[in-house]
Amino acid sequence: MAGDQYQTRGGILVHRDVQALPYPGGTDALARALDRRRGALLSSSFEFPGRYTRWDIGFVDPPLVLEAKGRDFSIRGLNRRGEVLVQVVADHLHGLDAIATLDVRTGWIEGSIRTPAGRFAEEARSRQPSVFSILRAITELFGAAQDSHLGLYGAFGYDLVFQFEPMALRLPRAADQRDLVLFLPDELLIVDHMRQVSTRCRYDFTAATRSTTGLARAGGDDPYMTEIVGDAPAESDHAPGEYAAMVERAREAFARGDLFEVVLGQLLCAPCRDQPSEIFERLRQTNPAPYGALMNLGDGEFLVAASPEMFVRVEGNRVETCPISGTIRRGSDAIEDAERIRELLNSAKDEAELTMCTDVDRNDKSRVCEAGSVRVIGRRQIEMYSRLIHTVDHVEGILRPEFDALDAFLSHAWAVTVTGAPKPWAIRFVEAEEKSARRWYGGAIGATMFNGSMNTGLTLRTVRMKNGIAEVRAGATLLHDSDPHEEEAETRLKASAMFAAINAGANGAAPAPARAPAARGIRVLLIDHEDSFVHTLGNYIRATGADVITQRPEFARETLAGNQPVDIVLLSPGPGRPADFAMNETLALATRRGLPVFGVCLGLQGMVEYCGGVLDLLATPMHGKPSEVRVLGGRLFEGLPRRFTVGRYHSIHAHRAAMPKDLVVTAETSDGVVMAIEHTRLPMAAVQFHPESVMTSPDIGHRLIENAVRLLTRVPAAAGSGDTRPIDMRDVCTQSS
């Protein structure tokens, strides 16, 4: 353990002990402790180069808490150490011009902030008397450049904006609402995942004759109460149709020119008997985010956050933000994600959303930053979360010498991405239209450090928990071309990851039972025509439960001629033409044995030639290119959409006009190229595309292969007969040639 000490600008002697801990540290134990004891754990589980790194920092049993509602504030000692610090802080606050009243008792300070009088320049708006005047005073008292971790940690509520933008409030505020809860810790667990280092910092404070040295650090219990008090709230604070009507009123405001954009939300609720640490851990695993948090705010109130958006970060004189706007649902896999990203980046509406947000954000910085220093350093960058894809800008500026981190914080309050623009009009519109007060939503979580830095995230994707109820507020950025029902769906989609974590303990923890393999026990002979994708295709077949043996053509023909056990033959793709692999001989052997046959790409071409058809060359080879396929019919596509995108690797194709009479075209491209065939009488089918390609959705590819294996081995003897006995190809096969 290493120890040192330094003196703050306010004359406090700080003794600091730093102890190395085994990596990754005890954040799990800390999270569980927060179920019963006040404190916070801030956890970044999302990395983005130049923007976010993975880290954890947390504490329990802080000695001091600062709380505020409106212009009233209190500072309380939460243990004997806190009682000492309360007296030190009280001495410093006496005579502070911003304070209207101040009542100091043992371990407790209560006071109020005077209402600003007179006029002021907009550049001075953040220096008006407010509860942030108390923060500035405490920061001055404990300020020191030697420590980058000690500071005030907690939550900043949405209503703090009204201290700087006063306006009439229509919505009732709950009696238990607090606008600010910040803790001063005296022991910090710090985990740096980039360097793989865990440390614990312990602090003692001495001011004149007062000292915390030797006093116990423990605080009292403040657990999460799982029983619902009174009636359970409604699932949403909006009745059916009310959110859509609100969007329509916003569109009218856009048309009048009152607003450019506005963010309107709804509050969703659900019972929750699980502990906050359980919800936090589920979110950390399933929805990693740069601003994750678990906070026991006291009085039975908890916040569990998985916020994707930086609010304001200040290091030295550099201030940065990352406005997020533009949202689309994640795909089912990486290929669909890529399509969604392309759709998002090509959306003029989503681009306009983010552009307006960034222009407002640049204006916020210009209030307090050096001329010419505000610049966009990242434009429409993609960030991917568990259920959503966002576009994000990255904006920075350099603070003017007369401004500090709190000025930067307040000049952005609150972010355009949770209010709208022009900001004061959007804030008034939110107050006029939403159904309930926002509490913490749209505010910030994080810390303001005593060395002058600050790191905060917007309070989004955050669960408020109290008395057995979990609340999630979610909003959507509205423009004139917004679709009311799509915007309401977006709010629910944003909240869905939170409720998945909330509901997992009650009804979602058990994984869905695995689907029973459809073709268990079926023996597949996969004939490899020297193709580069045959083994991926083989694994798609194995996923059906079938047994697969892969052989080159000559070896496969020996297997067929020797009457070895085979239930279905699968002809792989490959280069060249079917004759290069004597595919007519292969198909003749399968025919004589009455075996079903499924072909892919070259396999389709061989089937067409075997039945008397003609092949031709495409005008342009389709190698590694996607195409939309239109399904015309056929049993091979049962359960599949009528249109879907597939991957193609071919320059040879079946000549449509010379198609044999026994082969039916069951799928084609938009320009009429044959993409699938089925034999009218035999268990024989093929596709010209690659179901196993990354360009073909796995859902499509796997279902297609399953259909091929399952249906071709048990097909009706005649259309509509209902007979599912396997057809004996020897009874019906005659070559059209």
Side-chain angles (χ1 to χ4, degrees):
M1 180 181 291
D4 66 345
Q5 60 184 27
Y6 59 87
Q7 191 165 33
T8 72
R9 290 193 296 272
I12 298 174
L13 184 65
V14 179
H15 182 84
R16 174 179 57 185
D17 288 324
V18 180
Q19 179 183 8
L21 300 176
Y23 177 81
T27 57
D28 291 343
L30 191 153
R32 290 191 296 271
L34 289 171
D35 289 333
R36 300 193 62 84
R37 294 150 65 190
R38 288 183 182 88
L41 173 57
L42 305 178
S43 177
S44 176
S45 49
F46 185 93
E47 291 190 22
F48 193 101
R51 186 180 305 166
Y52 308 122
T53 56
R54 295 183 65 231
W55 52 265
D56 300 313
I57 186 166
F59 57 89
V60 293
D61 294 331
L64 201 70
V65 61
L66 166 64
E67 299 179 354
K69 182 175 182 178
R71 305 188 78 80
D72 297 326
F73 70 92
S74 69
I75 301 172
R76 285 186 292 151
L78 300 176
N79 53 25
R80 289 282 308 282
R81 299 166 65 82
E83 292 177 5
V84 170
L85 293 176
V86 163
Q87 296 304 313
V88 175
V89 172
D91 292 344
H92 188 71
L93 293 182
H94 278 297
L96 186 66
D97 181 64
I99 294 179
T101 64
L102 189 68
D103 180 16
V104 181
R105 289 165 281 169
T106 301
W108 192 293
I109 301 171
E110 285 186 335
S112 61
I113 303 298
R114 67 178 177 86
T115 302
R119 301 178 184 274
F120 53 87
E122 287 301 307
E123 290 82 358
R125 180 174 291 273
S126 59
R127 293 301 174 107
Q128 297 177 78
S130 72
V131 294
F132 288 89
S133 303
I134 306 298
L135 267 66
R136 274 204 176 86
I138 295 175
T139 300
E140 180 64 25
L141 176 63
F142 287 89
Q146 295 94 325
D147 196 310
S148 60
H149 296 117
L150 192 61
L152 295 171
Y153 291 76
F156 302 82
Y158 177 83
D159 278 6
L160 289 171
V161 71
F162 300 120
Q163 301 200 22
F164 303 91
E165 293 286 355
M167 59 186 68
L169 302 183
R170 178 188 67 89
L171 297 168
R173 266 59 180 177
D176 66 345
Q177 176 175 313
R178 293 174 287 177
D179 300 337
L180 182 74
V181 177
L182 295 177
F183 296 114
L184 171 59
D186 59 2
E187 181 174 334
L188 287 167
L189 172 65
I190 304 159
V191 181
D192 184 335
H193 293 288
M194 179 173 288
R195 297 169 54 213
Q196 296 194 339
V197 171
S198 297
T199 55
R200 180 175 62 196
C201 295
R202 283 183 167 175
Y203 298 89
D204 273 301
F205 307 95
T206 301
T209 61
R210 302 187 181 97
S211 177
T212 62
T213 302
L215 298 178
R217 296 177 184 269
D221 274 4
D222 202 325
Y224 174 63
M225 307 303 292
T226 60
E227 297 302 319
I228 298 173
V229 176
D231 296 332
E235 183 266 344
S236 172
D237 62 353
H238 284 67
E242 286 187 335
Y243 190 92
M246 188 167 59
V247 176
E248 290 293 355
R249 290 191 293 274
R251 295 182 71 248
E252 293 170 4
F254 300 141
R256 290 193 304 269
D258 294 348
L259 299 169
F260 306 144
E261 64 180 350
V262 70
V263 181
L264 297 176
Q266 62 175 317
L267 182 67
L268 303 166
C269 302
C272 182
R273 299 180 63 87
D274 291 344
Q275 291 298 310
S277 64
E278 296 176 273
I279 308 301
F280 172 73
E281 185 57 32
R282 290 174 200 151
L283 280 177
R284 188 156 59 167
Q285 295 298 321
T286 62
N287 193 50
Y291 287 92
L294 170 59
M295 294 185 180
N296 182 337
L297 299 178
D299 298 339
E301 185 177 25
F302 294 76
L303 295 181
V304 183
S307 176
E309 184 168 350
M310 180 191 300
F311 178 51
V312 172
R313 185 164 66 193
V314 179
E315 294 179 353
N317 64 351
R318 179 175 180 261
V319 55
E320 58 183 322
T321 54
C322 293
I324 292 179
S325 199
T327 302
I328 199 167
R329 183 189 294 268
R330 286 286 299 265
S332 62
D333 55 37
I335 307 307
E336 283 193 13
D337 279 344
E339 291 299 321
R340 300 286 171 84
I341 290 169
R342 182 181 294 111
E343 182 180 345
L344 179 59
L345 291 177
N346 286 328
S347 167
K349 173 186 177 292
D350 287 290
E351 182 176 9
E353 282 185 20
L354 185 58
T355 297
M356 285 192 276
C357 289
T358 297
D359 273 343
V360 174
D361 184 271
R362 291 169 61 240
N363 179 72
D364 292 338
K365 287 182 179 59
S366 296
R367 190 198 302 249
V368 294
C369 287
E370 298 276 7
S373 71
V374 178
R375 63 193 187 105
V376 178
I377 59 176
R379 175 61 173 161
R380 297 200 79 198
Q381 296 177 315
I382 293 294
E383 288 185 7
M384 301 175 69
Y385 295 91
S386 64
R387 302 188 180 205
L388 300 169
I389 305 171
H390 294 300
T391 46
V392 184
D393 282 355
H394 195 172
V395 189
E396 70 170 7
I398 303 300
L399 288 170
R400 301 207 297 271
E402 65 269 30
F403 293 120
D404 60 16
L406 288 177
D407 293 306
F409 182 91
L410 294 172
S411 72
H412 291 79
W414 286 116
V416 61
T417 50
V418 294
T419 55
K423 197 177 287 186
W425 285 56
I427 292 171
R428 276 193 286 271
F429 194 84
V430 167
E431 182 69 20
E433 290 291 338
E434 289 191 340
K435 297 293 183 180
S436 57
R438 287 189 165 189
R439 289 188 185 260
W440 302 111
Y441 173 81
I445 52 175
T448 176
M449 308 302 183
F450 294 146
N451 70 345
S453 64
M454 194 169 198
N455 194 356
T456 56
L458 276 174
T459 312
L460 305 172
R461 318 286 160 80
T462 297
V463 185
R464 175 182 179 264
M465 301 175 64
K466 188 173 183 178
N467 294 332
I469 296 294
E471 300 175 351
V472 178
R473 188 178 291 270
T477 302
L478 309 181
L479 304 180
H480 185 260
D481 51 355
S482 289
D483 178 279
H485 300 289
E486 287 183 3
E487 300 293 359
E488 179 171 5
E490 181 177 314
T491 66
R492 289 185 173 269
L493 177 60
K494 287 176 176 176
S496 64
M498 308 298 106
F499 282 108
I502 293 165
N503 296 329
N507 55 24
R515 184 178 177 182
R520 188 182 300 279
I522 291 178
R523 295 158 297 189
V524 178
L525 175 61
L526 173 58
I527 302 179
D528 176 13
H529 298 114
E530 300 177 8
D531 183 59
S532 295
F533 312 120
V534 66
H535 297 296
T536 303
L537 186 60
N539 272 347
Y540 271 49
I541 303 166
R542 291 184 182 96
T544 70
D547 298 321
V548 179
I549 182 171
T550 307
Q551 296 176 349
R552 294 286 175 93
E554 289 187 5
F555 186 11
R557 285 192 285 272
E558 291 177 7
T559 297
L560 291 171
N563 288 321
Q564 296 183 33
V566 174
D567 293 313
I568 182 172
V569 176
L570 200 150
L571 305 174
S572 85
R577 288 179 171 266
D580 295 327
F581 301 97
M583 201 178 294
N584 274 356
E585 295 180 29
T586 303
L587 284 164
L589 286 167
T591 298
R592 284 198 290 271
R593 286 191 55 178
L595 293 174
V597 183
F598 177 65
V600 175
C601 204
L602 185 71
L604 177 143
Q605 297 159 20
M607 210 173 282
V608 168
E609 281 196 329
Y610 179 73
C611 291
V614 177
L615 303 179
D616 203 350
L617 288 175
L618 295 170
T620 303
M622 294 294 291
H623 295 155
K625 296 180 180 179
S627 290
E628 184 181 76
V629 164
R630 181 169 69 95
V631 175
L632 305 176
R635 302 174 68 241
L636 193 61
F637 297 104
E638 285 185 5
L640 293 176
R642 296 297 88 186
R643 293 178 184 269
F644 52 84
T645 299
V646 299
R648 295 170 65 185
Y649 289 89
H650 69 109
S651 55
I652 301 171
H653 70 105
H655 197 293
R656 185 72 171 269
M659 187 63 63
K661 63 182 179 62
D662 286 333
L663 296 180
V664 176
V665 177
T666 58
E668 64 181 3
T669 62
S670 60
D671 56 353
V673 176
V674 174
M675 284 289 110
I677 58 172
E678 292 185 23
H679 201 286
T680 58
R681 296 174 296 127
L682 306 180
M684 183 184 289
V687 293
Q688 181 59 67
F689 56 86
H690 284 247
E692 83 291 349
S693 168
V694 296
M695 294 176 285
T696 307
S697 165
D699 290 340
I700 298 291
H702 281 288
R703 181 59 184 265
L704 180 67
I705 294 297
E706 180 183 302
N707 284 352
V709 174
R710 179 171 55 86
L711 297 175
L712 289 176
T713 53
R714 296 188 68 81
V715 296
S721 70
D723 187 350
T724 58
R725 293 172 299 166
I727 289 179
D728 189 335
M729 291 180 68
R730 291 170 296 185
D731 294 339
V732 295
C733 184
T734 55
Q735 283 187 238
S736 299
S737 58

